[in-house]
PDB file of all heavy atoms in Angstrom:
ATOM      1  N   GLY A 117       4.796  -2.914  -5.919  1.00 98.00           N
ATOM      2  CA  GLY A 117       4.938  -1.520  -5.527  1.00 98.00           C
ATOM      3  C   GLY A 117       4.966  -1.344  -4.021  1.00 98.00           C
ATOM      4  O   GLY A 117       5.787  -0.595  -3.480  1.00 98.00           O
ATOM      5  N   LEU A 118       4.090  -2.055  -3.335  1.00 98.00           N
ATOM      6  CA  LEU A 118       4.044  -1.949  -1.874  1.00 98.00           C
ATOM      7  C   LEU A 118       5.270  -2.590  -1.231  1.00 98.00           C
ATOM      8  O   LEU A 118       5.787  -2.078  -0.234  1.00 98.00           O
ATOM      9  CB  LEU A 118       2.753  -2.570  -1.349  1.00 98.00           C
ATOM     10  CG  LEU A 118       1.493  -1.797  -1.740  1.00 98.00           C
ATOM     11  CD1 LEU A 118       0.244  -2.617  -1.455  1.00 98.00           C
ATOM     12  CD2 LEU A 118       1.434  -0.441  -1.042  1.00 98.00           C
ATOM     13  N   ALA A 119       5.761  -3.677  -1.804  1.00 98.00           N
ATOM     14  CA  ALA A 119       6.991  -4.300  -1.292  1.00 98.00           C
ATOM     15  C   ALA A 119       8.163  -3.335  -1.449  1.00 98.00           C
ATOM     16  O   ALA A 119       9.004  -3.203  -0.548  1.00 98.00           O
ATOM     17  CB  ALA A 119       7.267  -5.613  -2.025  1.00 98.00           C
ATOM     18  N   TYR A 120       8.214  -2.650  -2.577  1.00 98.00           N
ATOM     19  CA  TYR A 120       9.267  -1.656  -2.805  1.00 98.00           C
ATOM     20  C   TYR A 120       9.177  -0.544  -1.755  1.00 98.00           C
ATOM     21  O   TYR A 120      10.191  -0.143  -1.176  1.00 98.00           O
ATOM     22  CB  TYR A 120       9.151  -1.088  -4.216  1.00 98.00           C
ATOM     23  CG  TYR A 120      10.092   0.044  -4.494  1.00 98.00           C
ATOM     24  CD1 TYR A 120      11.445  -0.182  -4.710  1.00 98.00           C
ATOM     25  CD2 TYR A 120       9.631   1.362  -4.534  1.00 98.00           C
ATOM     26  CE1 TYR A 120      12.320   0.866  -4.964  1.00 98.00           C
ATOM     27  CE2 TYR A 120      10.498   2.419  -4.792  1.00 98.00           C
ATOM     28  CZ  TYR A 120      11.837   2.158  -4.998  1.00 98.00           C
ATOM     29  OH  TYR A 120      12.702   3.203  -5.243  1.00 98.00           O
ATOM     30  N   ALA A 121       7.968  -0.058  -1.512  1.00 98.00           N
ATOM     31  CA  ALA A 121       7.782   0.998  -0.506  1.00 98.00           C
ATOM     32  C   ALA A 121       8.289   0.528   0.855  1.00 98.00           C
ATOM     33  O   ALA A 121       9.003   1.263   1.548  1.00 98.00           O
ATOM     34  CB  ALA A 121       6.304   1.389  -0.422  1.00 98.00           C
ATOM     35  N   ARG A 122       7.943  -0.697   1.223  1.00 98.00           N
ATOM     36  CA  ARG A 122       8.371  -1.227   2.520  1.00 98.00           C
ATOM     37  C   ARG A 122       9.895  -1.354   2.586  1.00 98.00           C
ATOM     38  O   ARG A 122      10.529  -0.951   3.552  1.00 98.00           O
ATOM     39  CB  ARG A 122       7.694  -2.575   2.782  1.00 98.00           C
ATOM     40  CG  ARG A 122       7.917  -3.079   4.195  1.00 98.00           C
ATOM     41  CD  ARG A 122       7.097  -4.300   4.518  1.00 98.00           C
ATOM     42  NE  ARG A 122       5.656  -4.160   4.423  1.00 98.00           N
ATOM     43  CZ  ARG A 122       4.885  -3.525   5.299  1.00 98.00           C
ATOM     44  NH1 ARG A 122       5.427  -2.924   6.340  1.00 98.00           N
ATOM     45  NH2 ARG A 122       3.580  -3.479   5.137  1.00 98.00           N
ATOM     46  N   GLU A 123      10.494  -1.898   1.524  1.00 98.00           N
ATOM     47  CA  GLU A 123      11.952  -2.077   1.485  1.00 98.00           C
ATOM     48  C   GLU A 123      12.691  -0.753   1.581  1.00 98.00           C
ATOM     49  O   GLU A 123      13.761  -0.665   2.188  1.00 98.00           O
ATOM     50  CB  GLU A 123      12.358  -2.769   0.184  1.00 98.00           C
ATOM     51  CG  GLU A 123      11.951  -4.216   0.095  1.00 98.00           C
ATOM     52  CD  GLU A 123      12.038  -4.768  -1.319  1.00 98.00           C
ATOM     53  OE1 GLU A 123      12.596  -4.092  -2.216  1.00 98.00           O
ATOM     54  OE2 GLU A 123      11.532  -5.881  -1.537  1.00 98.00           O
ATOM     55  N   GLU A 124      12.123   0.286   0.975  1.00 98.00           N
ATOM     56  CA  GLU A 124      12.778   1.594   0.939  1.00 98.00           C
ATOM     57  C   GLU A 124      12.385   2.493   2.114  1.00 98.00           C
ATOM     58  O   GLU A 124      12.862   3.618   2.214  1.00 98.00           O
ATOM     59  CB  GLU A 124      12.446   2.307  -0.384  1.00 98.00           C
ATOM     60  CG  GLU A 124      12.996   1.596  -1.612  1.00 98.00           C
ATOM     61  CD  GLU A 124      14.508   1.526  -1.623  1.00 98.00           C
ATOM     62  OE1 GLU A 124      15.165   2.541  -1.338  1.00 98.00           O
ATOM     63  OE2 GLU A 124      15.045   0.420  -1.907  1.00 98.00           O
ATOM     64  N   GLY A 125      11.494   2.016   2.974  1.00 98.00           N
ATOM     65  CA  GLY A 125      11.059   2.812   4.116  1.00 98.00           C
ATOM     66  C   GLY A 125      10.204   4.005   3.727  1.00 98.00           C
ATOM     67  O   GLY A 125      10.221   5.037   4.400  1.00 98.00           O
ATOM     68  N   LEU A 126       9.422   3.852   2.656  1.00 98.00           N
ATOM     69  CA  LEU A 126       8.581   4.947   2.153  1.00 98.00           C
ATOM     70  C   LEU A 126       7.158   4.829   2.669  1.00 98.00           C
ATOM     71  O   LEU A 126       6.621   3.729   2.790  1.00 98.00           O
ATOM     72  CB  LEU A 126       8.552   4.927   0.618  1.00 98.00           C
ATOM     73  CG  LEU A 126       9.893   5.078  -0.087  1.00 98.00           C
ATOM     74  CD1 LEU A 126       9.735   4.800  -1.579  1.00 98.00           C
ATOM     75  CD2 LEU A 126      10.468   6.461   0.158  1.00 98.00           C
ATOM     76  N   ARG A 127       6.540   5.958   2.942  1.00 98.00           N
ATOM     77  CA  ARG A 127       5.110   6.010   3.222  1.00 98.00           C
ATOM     78  C   ARG A 127       4.393   5.980   1.877  1.00 98.00           C
ATOM     79  O   ARG A 127       4.940   6.389   0.853  1.00 98.00           O
ATOM     80  CB  ARG A 127       4.739   7.272   3.990  1.00 98.00           C
ATOM     81  CG  ARG A 127       5.241   7.270   5.403  1.00 98.00           C
ATOM     82  CD  ARG A 127       4.506   6.225   6.163  1.00 98.00           C
ATOM     83  NE  ARG A 127       4.879   6.224   7.560  1.00 98.00           N
ATOM     84  CZ  ARG A 127       4.373   5.360   8.407  1.00 98.00           C
ATOM     85  NH1 ARG A 127       3.505   4.468   8.004  1.00 98.00           N
ATOM     86  NH2 ARG A 127       4.740   5.381   9.644  1.00 98.00           N
ATOM     87  N   VAL A 128       3.140   5.513   1.886  1.00 98.00           N
ATOM     88  CA  VAL A 128       2.375   5.338   0.655  1.00 98.00           C
ATOM     89  C   VAL A 128       1.176   6.273   0.630  1.00 98.00           C
ATOM     90  O   VAL A 128       0.421   6.372   1.605  1.00 98.00           O
ATOM     91  CB  VAL A 128       1.892   3.869   0.528  1.00 98.00           C
ATOM     92  CG1 VAL A 128       0.932   3.698  -0.642  1.00 98.00           C
ATOM     93  CG2 VAL A 128       3.090   2.938   0.394  1.00 98.00           C
ATOM     94  N   LEU A 129       0.997   6.933  -0.504  1.00 98.00           N
ATOM     95  CA  LEU A 129      -0.210   7.707  -0.794  1.00 98.00           C
ATOM     96  C   LEU A 129      -0.833   7.066  -2.038  1.00 98.00           C
ATOM     97  O   LEU A 129      -0.349   7.262  -3.151  1.00 98.00           O
ATOM     98  CB  LEU A 129       0.127   9.178  -1.047  1.00 98.00           C
ATOM     99  CG  LEU A 129      -1.046  10.094  -1.361  1.00 98.00           C
ATOM    100  CD1 LEU A 129      -2.097  10.067  -0.258  1.00 98.00           C
ATOM    101  CD2 LEU A 129      -0.547  11.513  -1.588  1.00 98.00           C
ATOM    102  N   PRO A 130      -1.886   6.238  -1.850  1.00 98.00           N
ATOM    103  CA  PRO A 130      -2.468   5.517  -2.979  1.00 98.00           C
ATOM    104  C   PRO A 130      -3.556   6.335  -3.690  1.00 98.00           C
ATOM    105  O   PRO A 130      -4.751   6.155  -3.445  1.00 98.00           O
ATOM    106  CB  PRO A 130      -3.052   4.259  -2.325  1.00 98.00           C
ATOM    107  CG  PRO A 130      -3.454   4.713  -0.956  1.00 98.00           C
ATOM    108  CD  PRO A 130      -2.446   5.789  -0.570  1.00 98.00           C
ATOM    109  N   LEU A 131      -3.147   7.224  -4.578  1.00 97.00           N
ATOM    110  CA  LEU A 131      -4.127   7.993  -5.345  1.00 97.00           C
ATOM    111  C   LEU A 131      -4.772   7.136  -6.428  1.00 97.00           C
ATOM    112  O   LEU A 131      -5.884   7.426  -6.871  1.00 97.00           O
ATOM    113  CB  LEU A 131      -3.475   9.233  -5.963  1.00 97.00           C
ATOM    114  CG  LEU A 131      -2.923  10.253  -4.973  1.00 97.00           C
ATOM    115  CD1 LEU A 131      -2.384  11.474  -5.713  1.00 97.00           C
ATOM    116  CD2 LEU A 131      -3.976  10.663  -3.943  1.00 97.00           C
ATOM    117  N   CYS A 132      -4.092   6.093  -6.851  1.00 97.00           N
ATOM    118  CA  CYS A 132      -4.630   5.147  -7.822  1.00 97.00           C
ATOM    119  C   CYS A 132      -5.760   4.356  -7.160  1.00 97.00           C
ATOM    120  O   CYS A 132      -5.548   3.740  -6.119  1.00 97.00           O
ATOM    121  CB  CYS A 132      -3.525   4.201  -8.292  1.00 97.00           C
ATOM    122  SG  CYS A 132      -4.135   2.755  -9.157  1.00 97.00           S
ATOM    123  N   PRO A 133      -6.967   4.356  -7.745  1.00 97.00           N
ATOM    124  CA  PRO A 133      -8.082   3.618  -7.139  1.00 97.00           C
ATOM    125  C   PRO A 133      -7.808   2.120  -6.964  1.00 97.00           C
ATOM    126  O   PRO A 133      -8.253   1.523  -5.984  1.00 97.00           O
ATOM    127  CB  PRO A 133      -9.245   3.844  -8.113  1.00 97.00           C
ATOM    128  CG  PRO A 133      -8.892   5.096  -8.843  1.00 97.00           C
ATOM    129  CD  PRO A 133      -7.395   5.114  -8.927  1.00 97.00           C
ATOM    130  N   PHE A 134      -7.063   1.519  -7.875  1.00 97.00           N
ATOM    131  CA  PHE A 134      -6.787   0.084  -7.758  1.00 97.00           C
ATOM    132  C   PHE A 134      -5.910  -0.204  -6.539  1.00 97.00           C
ATOM    133  O   PHE A 134      -6.205  -1.110  -5.762  1.00 97.00           O
ATOM    134  CB  PHE A 134      -6.128  -0.466  -9.029  1.00 97.00           C
ATOM    135  CG  PHE A 134      -5.955  -1.957  -8.975  1.00 97.00           C
ATOM    136  CD1 PHE A 134      -6.963  -2.791  -9.412  1.00 97.00           C
ATOM    137  CD2 PHE A 134      -4.794  -2.522  -8.456  1.00 97.00           C
ATOM    138  CE1 PHE A 134      -6.825  -4.178  -9.326  1.00 97.00           C
ATOM    139  CE2 PHE A 134      -4.653  -3.897  -8.367  1.00 97.00           C
ATOM    140  CZ  PHE A 134      -5.669  -4.729  -8.803  1.00 97.00           C
ATOM    141  N   VAL A 135      -4.849   0.559  -6.367  1.00 98.00           N
ATOM    142  CA  VAL A 135      -3.952   0.342  -5.215  1.00 98.00           C
ATOM    143  C   VAL A 135      -4.688   0.673  -3.917  1.00 98.00           C
ATOM    144  O   VAL A 135      -4.562  -0.053  -2.928  1.00 98.00           O
ATOM    145  CB  VAL A 135      -2.650   1.156  -5.347  1.00 98.00           C
ATOM    146  CG1 VAL A 135      -1.783   1.017  -4.100  1.00 98.00           C
ATOM    147  CG2 VAL A 135      -1.878   0.717  -6.581  1.00 98.00           C
ATOM    148  N   LYS A 136      -5.495   1.717  -3.936  1.00 97.00           N
ATOM    149  CA  LYS A 136      -6.276   2.072  -2.750  1.00 97.00           C
ATOM    150  C   LYS A 136      -7.216   0.926  -2.368  1.00 97.00           C
ATOM    151  O   LYS A 136      -7.310   0.542  -1.204  1.00 97.00           O
ATOM    152  CB  LYS A 136      -7.068   3.354  -3.005  1.00 97.00           C
ATOM    153  CG  LYS A 136      -7.843   3.832  -1.805  1.00 97.00           C
ATOM    154  CD  LYS A 136      -8.555   5.138  -2.090  1.00 97.00           C
ATOM    155  CE  LYS A 136      -9.349   5.571  -0.884  1.00 97.00           C
ATOM    156  NZ  LYS A 136     -10.099   6.806  -1.132  1.00 97.00           N
ATOM    157  N   SER A 137      -7.890   0.353  -3.349  1.00 97.00           N
ATOM    158  CA  SER A 137      -8.793  -0.771  -3.102  1.00 97.00           C
ATOM    159  C   SER A 137      -8.030  -1.995  -2.598  1.00 97.00           C
ATOM    160  O   SER A 137      -8.472  -2.690  -1.675  1.00 97.00           O
ATOM    161  CB  SER A 137      -9.552  -1.103  -4.389  1.00 97.00           C
ATOM    162  OG  SER A 137     -10.348  -2.233  -4.220  1.00 97.00           O
ATOM    163  N   TYR A 138      -6.879  -2.267  -3.192  1.00 98.00           N
ATOM    164  CA  TYR A 138      -6.045  -3.384  -2.756  1.00 98.00           C
ATOM    165  C   TYR A 138      -5.664  -3.196  -1.288  1.00 98.00           C
ATOM    166  O   TYR A 138      -5.776  -4.122  -0.478  1.00 98.00           O
ATOM    167  CB  TYR A 138      -4.786  -3.508  -3.622  1.00 98.00           C
ATOM    168  CG  TYR A 138      -3.885  -4.626  -3.165  1.00 98.00           C
ATOM    169  CD1 TYR A 138      -4.038  -5.914  -3.670  1.00 98.00           C
ATOM    170  CD2 TYR A 138      -2.909  -4.414  -2.194  1.00 98.00           C
ATOM    171  CE1 TYR A 138      -3.234  -6.957  -3.223  1.00 98.00           C
ATOM    172  CE2 TYR A 138      -2.101  -5.447  -1.748  1.00 98.00           C
ATOM    173  CZ  TYR A 138      -2.275  -6.712  -2.263  1.00 98.00           C
ATOM    174  OH  TYR A 138      -1.476  -7.748  -1.804  1.00 98.00           O
ATOM    175  N   MET A 139      -5.218  -2.009  -0.933  1.00 98.00           N
ATOM    176  CA  MET A 139      -4.802  -1.745   0.443  1.00 98.00           C
ATOM    177  C   MET A 139      -5.985  -1.852   1.402  1.00 98.00           C
ATOM    178  O   MET A 139      -5.831  -2.325   2.527  1.00 98.00           O
ATOM    179  CB  MET A 139      -4.116  -0.385   0.547  1.00 98.00           C
ATOM    180  CG  MET A 139      -2.765  -0.354  -0.148  1.00 98.00           C
ATOM    181  SD  MET A 139      -1.880   1.210   0.079  1.00 98.00           S
ATOM    182  CE  MET A 139      -1.247   0.973   1.763  1.00 98.00           C
ATOM    183  N   HIS A 140      -7.153  -1.431   0.961  1.00 97.00           N
ATOM    184  CA  HIS A 140      -8.351  -1.538   1.795  1.00 97.00           C
ATOM    185  C   HIS A 140      -8.619  -3.001   2.155  1.00 97.00           C
ATOM    186  O   HIS A 140      -8.973  -3.309   3.299  1.00 97.00           O
ATOM    187  CB  HIS A 140      -9.548  -0.938   1.057  1.00 97.00           C
ATOM    188  CG  HIS A 140     -10.834  -1.074   1.803  1.00 97.00           C
ATOM    189  ND1 HIS A 140     -11.142  -0.288   2.893  1.00 97.00           N
ATOM    190  CD2 HIS A 140     -11.878  -1.918   1.625  1.00 97.00           C
ATOM    191  CE1 HIS A 140     -12.333  -0.650   3.353  1.00 97.00           C
ATOM    192  NE2 HIS A 140     -12.800  -1.631   2.600  1.00 97.00           N
ATOM    193  N   ARG A 141      -8.421  -3.893   1.190  1.00 97.00           N
ATOM    194  CA  ARG A 141      -8.683  -5.321   1.400  1.00 97.00           C
ATOM    195  C   ARG A 141      -7.532  -6.035   2.130  1.00 97.00           C
ATOM    196  O   ARG A 141      -7.687  -7.194   2.514  1.00 97.00           O
ATOM    197  CB  ARG A 141      -8.925  -6.025   0.054  1.00 97.00           C
ATOM    198  CG  ARG A 141     -10.203  -5.596  -0.641  1.00 97.00           C
ATOM    199  CD  ARG A 141     -10.505  -6.429  -1.883  1.00 97.00           C
ATOM    200  NE  ARG A 141      -9.364  -6.668  -2.754  1.00 97.00           N
ATOM    201  CZ  ARG A 141      -8.946  -5.857  -3.729  1.00 97.00           C
ATOM    202  NH1 ARG A 141      -9.580  -4.720  -3.946  1.00 97.00           N
ATOM    203  NH2 ARG A 141      -7.911  -6.176  -4.484  1.00 97.00           N
ATOM    204  N   HIS A 142      -6.406  -5.365   2.294  1.00 98.00           N
ATOM    205  CA  HIS A 142      -5.233  -5.976   2.928  1.00 98.00           C
ATOM    206  C   HIS A 142      -4.732  -5.101   4.081  1.00 98.00           C
ATOM    207  O   HIS A 142      -3.812  -4.298   3.923  1.00 98.00           O
ATOM    208  CB  HIS A 142      -4.125  -6.199   1.885  1.00 98.00           C
ATOM    209  CG  HIS A 142      -4.499  -7.210   0.864  1.00 98.00           C
ATOM    210  ND1 HIS A 142      -5.204  -6.899  -0.275  1.00 98.00           N
ATOM    211  CD2 HIS A 142      -4.292  -8.548   0.835  1.00 98.00           C
ATOM    212  CE1 HIS A 142      -5.404  -8.001  -0.971  1.00 98.00           C
ATOM    213  NE2 HIS A 142      -4.875  -9.016  -0.317  1.00 98.00           N
ATOM    214  N   PRO A 143      -5.335  -5.277   5.250  1.00 97.00           N
ATOM    215  CA  PRO A 143      -4.963  -4.446   6.400  1.00 97.00           C
ATOM    216  C   PRO A 143      -3.493  -4.518   6.779  1.00 97.00           C
ATOM    217  O   PRO A 143      -2.968  -3.601   7.407  1.00 97.00           O
ATOM    218  CB  PRO A 143      -5.837  -4.976   7.540  1.00 97.00           C
ATOM    219  CG  PRO A 143      -6.840  -5.880   6.939  1.00 97.00           C
ATOM    220  CD  PRO A 143      -6.400  -6.211   5.551  1.00 97.00           C
ATOM    221  N   GLU A 144      -2.819  -5.588   6.381  1.00 97.00           N
ATOM    222  CA  GLU A 144      -1.384  -5.702   6.693  1.00 97.00           C
ATOM    223  C   GLU A 144      -0.555  -4.649   5.979  1.00 97.00           C
ATOM    224  O   GLU A 144       0.629  -4.476   6.279  1.00 97.00           O
ATOM    225  CB  GLU A 144      -0.873  -7.117   6.367  1.00 97.00           C
ATOM    226  CG  GLU A 144      -0.800  -7.445   4.888  1.00 97.00           C
ATOM    227  CD  GLU A 144      -2.102  -7.968   4.263  1.00 97.00           C
ATOM    228  OE1 GLU A 144      -3.165  -7.887   4.896  1.00 97.00           O
ATOM    229  OE2 GLU A 144      -2.036  -8.453   3.124  1.00 97.00           O
ATOM    230  N   THR A 145      -1.157  -3.920   5.040  1.00 98.00           N
ATOM    231  CA  THR A 145      -0.450  -2.847   4.331  1.00 98.00           C
ATOM    232  C   THR A 145      -0.715  -1.473   4.933  1.00 98.00           C
ATOM    233  O   THR A 145      -0.084  -0.506   4.536  1.00 98.00           O
ATOM    234  CB  THR A 145      -0.843  -2.812   2.838  1.00 98.00           C
ATOM    235  OG1 THR A 145      -2.229  -2.455   2.714  1.00 98.00           O
ATOM    236  CG2 THR A 145      -0.580  -4.153   2.168  1.00 98.00           C
ATOM    237  N   HIS A 146      -1.651  -1.379   5.867  1.00 97.00           N
ATOM    238  CA  HIS A 146      -2.071  -0.070   6.374  1.00 97.00           C
ATOM    239  C   HIS A 146      -0.960   0.686   7.094  1.00 97.00           C
ATOM    240  O   HIS A 146      -0.990   1.920   7.155  1.00 97.00           O
ATOM    241  CB  HIS A 146      -3.292  -0.218   7.282  1.00 97.00           C
ATOM    242  CG  HIS A 146      -4.517  -0.649   6.535  1.00 97.00           C
ATOM    243  ND1 HIS A 146      -5.744  -0.778   7.141  1.00 97.00           N
ATOM    244  CD2 HIS A 146      -4.703  -0.990   5.237  1.00 97.00           C
ATOM    245  CE1 HIS A 146      -6.635  -1.177   6.247  1.00 97.00           C
ATOM    246  NE2 HIS A 146      -6.028  -1.316   5.087  1.00 97.00           N
ATOM    247  N   ASP A 147       0.025  -0.033   7.621  1.00 97.00           N
ATOM    248  CA  ASP A 147       1.130   0.646   8.296  1.00 97.00           C
ATOM    249  C   ASP A 147       1.972   1.471   7.324  1.00 97.00           C
ATOM    250  O   ASP A 147       2.721   2.346   7.738  1.00 97.00           O
ATOM    251  CB  ASP A 147       2.017  -0.362   9.033  1.00 97.00           C
ATOM    252  CG  ASP A 147       2.717  -1.333   8.092  1.00 97.00           C
ATOM    253  OD1 ASP A 147       2.016  -1.974   7.280  1.00 97.00           O
ATOM    254  OD2 ASP A 147       3.950  -1.455   8.165  1.00 97.00           O
ATOM    255  N   LEU A 148       1.818   1.211   6.028  1.00 98.00           N
ATOM    256  CA  LEU A 148       2.570   1.963   5.017  1.00 98.00           C
ATOM    257  C   LEU A 148       1.917   3.308   4.669  1.00 98.00           C
ATOM    258  O   LEU A 148       2.565   4.175   4.096  1.00 98.00           O
ATOM    259  CB  LEU A 148       2.687   1.136   3.726  1.00 98.00           C
ATOM    260  CG  LEU A 148       3.509  -0.134   3.813  1.00 98.00           C
ATOM    261  CD1 LEU A 148       3.354  -0.952   2.535  1.00 98.00           C
ATOM    262  CD2 LEU A 148       4.968   0.199   4.057  1.00 98.00           C
TER     263      LEU A 148
END
């Protein structure tokens, strides 16, 4: 999902707790 967002130039709003937690643990995704 995050790769798709990056490829499409989309900003991410992680309302899903799992994706939010994943992004928290992976700072390289914070630019999204």
Side-chain angles (χ1 to χ4, degrees):
L118 293 168
Y120 174 75
R122 189 172 300 285
E123 290 165 10
E124 296 297 315
L126 300 170
R127 290 292 184 182
V128 172
L129 180 57
L131 297 184
C132 166
F134 185 88
V135 175
K136 183 177 179 182
S137 176
Y138 178 90
M139 291 185 78
H140 177 75
R141 293 187 315 273
H142 294 86
E144 70 274 12
T145 66
H146 292 183
D147 64 306
L148 294 171

